[in-house]
Amino acid sequence: MDLEALSDFNLVATHGGFGRAGRLSGRSKATLSRHVSELEHSLGVRLIERGSQSLRLTDEGRALHERTDGLLSEIAEAGDAIVLGASTPRGRLRVSAPVVFAHVVLPRIGTRFALAYPEVKLEIVAEDRKVDPVEDGYDLVIRIDPSPDERLIGRRFLNDERLIVASPDMPRPQRALGGEPSPVKAVLLSATSLNVVWRLKSDVEDEVLFKPEPILRFSSLLMVREAVLEGAGAALLPKLLVADDIEAGRLVCWGTHAGPSVEIWALQSSRRLVGAKVRAFLDVMERTFPAKAFVP
């Protein structure tokens, strides 16, 4: 079996078409089509049913893809490690991250990484959609409080917490009698429930409760933060987003939300070996923001 033809077949199968596979890999559609046809001829079976607008894998094609795609990736990465040196990060590194995290954290990390590893071409994409590392061509994806997924492996590298913050000019409400939530002017995310109550961690037995009364609603935490800086109201925001504002006196913290901490994970496809460039990027992240920095 021709391994180059098999690799091109898996590329087409992964991306669902010759055109998309060609765009992401830089290979021509004609070359991909020829290699798939040669593979079909050598095996004596049809692997792909080609339609006028789309294609689909045959049962034989699906079985071949499932059994060989991960193996080929490991073979290729093992070869790269031998040729290039396992401890030398090189090549292209694509990272997907949530918009807020990417804007607040990754410019600093990306710059440090680029200066430390000039032989790696780093690309960071800020997006809130749930990407697939294999399908979308990413070496690493960063997710906040991810659900378990057997197709992904990785590690938690940061714990964050949520803080109630406001402008220094905004008075903090007095605690209401009878354990009732204290009303407070607030800036909320668009998806926040009207019945939400902010519960603060407290050393005393009674909970500290606030009832946010929305003055403004935004779809982005970055917009919420800007409105709070302008004095529109209080807000519940990630510590990593407002820590510098609190330290500089632009915002004051009324307390820490009583809910669980926020876990931030770096994940990659379980089909792939952890290469030197991915390990190097994770090391830079952990040195820049050690996990204990934001642990409640």
Side-chain angles (χ1 to χ4, degrees):
M1 190 184 303
D2 187 320
L3 290 184
E4 184 179 9
L6 180 60
S7 177
D8 282 350
F9 160 72
N10 280 319
L11 189 66
V12 173
T14 295
H15 297 296
F18 292 99
R20 192 156 193 266
R23 288 192 298 272
L24 290 172
S25 66
R27 298 171 68 79
S28 72
K29 288 175 59 177
T31 298
L32 294 174
S33 180
R34 176 167 54 83
H35 282 172
V36 171
S37 295
E38 291 173 353
L39 182 62
E40 290 177 322
H41 180 74
S42 68
L43 294 174
V45 296
R46 182 172 293 279
L47 301 173
I48 293 176
E49 294 289 354
R50 300 162 175 82
S52 59
Q53 299 295 326
S54 62
L55 58 79
R56 68 174 182 85
L57 297 179
T58 64
D59 291 341
E60 293 81 6
R62 187 176 300 106
L64 183 65
H65 177 56
E66 290 174 352
R67 297 186 64 177
T68 63
D69 188 41
L71 293 174
L72 284 178
S73 296
E74 292 190 16
I75 291 170
E77 292 190 13
D80 289 343
I82 296 299
V83 173
L84 299 177
S87 61
T88 306
R90 291 175 179 154
R92 186 185 185 204
L93 178 63
R94 293 190 78 226
V95 179
S96 171
V99 171
V100 170
F101 186 86
H103 280 266
V104 174
V105 174
L106 291 185
R108 188 185 321 178
I109 291 175
T111 299
R112 292 180 179 179
F113 180 85
L115 293 175
Y117 301 101
E119 294 186 63
V120 178
K121 293 179 172 61
L122 175 62
E123 178 186 358
I124 297 174
V125 179
E127 53 190 344
D128 286 330
R129 70 187 181 93
K130 189 174 181 179
V131 303
D132 183 303
V134 175
E135 175 70 19
D136 296 301
Y138 287 108
D139 300 286
L140 198 66
V141 296
I142 296 172
R143 289 185 182 168
I144 297 174
D145 289 336
S147 301
D149 189 333
E150 63 183 13
R151 297 170 301 173
L152 300 176
I153 58 173
R155 64 186 190 233
R156 181 184 62 187
F157 69 91
L158 184 63
N159 274 14
D160 198 9
E161 56 190 0
R162 295 181 177 92
L163 307 178
I164 297 179
V165 296
S167 164
D169 299 328
M170 182 175 176
R172 174 173 171 157
Q174 298 296 316
R175 181 180 293 191
L177 298 177
E180 291 296 317
S182 301
V184 57
K185 292 193 304 181
V187 184
L188 302 179
L189 283 173
S190 301
T192 303
S193 168
L194 293 174
N195 299 319
V196 68
V197 173
W198 292 339
R199 289 176 167 81
L200 302 188
K201 291 182 178 178
S202 175
D203 295 330
V204 299
E205 185 175 346
D206 293 336
E207 285 187 305
V208 179
L209 305 176
F210 291 109
K211 175 58 180 172
E213 298 181 344
I215 302 300
L216 288 169
R217 286 179 176 269
F218 292 110
S219 62
S220 162
L221 287 175
L222 295 172
M223 298 169 71
V224 172
R225 170 183 169 271
E226 289 299 322
V228 175
L229 286 169
E230 294 294 325
L236 183 65
L237 290 170
K239 184 175 181 178
L240 66 85
L241 180 58
V242 295
D244 290 344
D245 296 318
I246 294 171
E247 184 176 352
R250 295 185 292 269
L251 294 175
V252 294
C253 176
W254 290 358
T256 302
H257 192 259
S261 63
V262 178
E263 295 185 354
I264 304 176
W265 287 67
L267 303 166
Q268 68 175 79
S269 170
S270 58
R271 299 180 187 180
R272 305 188 65 183
L273 299 172
V274 179
K277 59 189 177 183
V278 172
R279 287 197 302 271
F281 188 81
L282 292 173
D283 289 344
V284 171
M285 283 203 298
E286 292 187 343
R287 288 198 303 269
T288 305
F289 292 95
K292 293 182 179 179
F294 293 103
V295 171

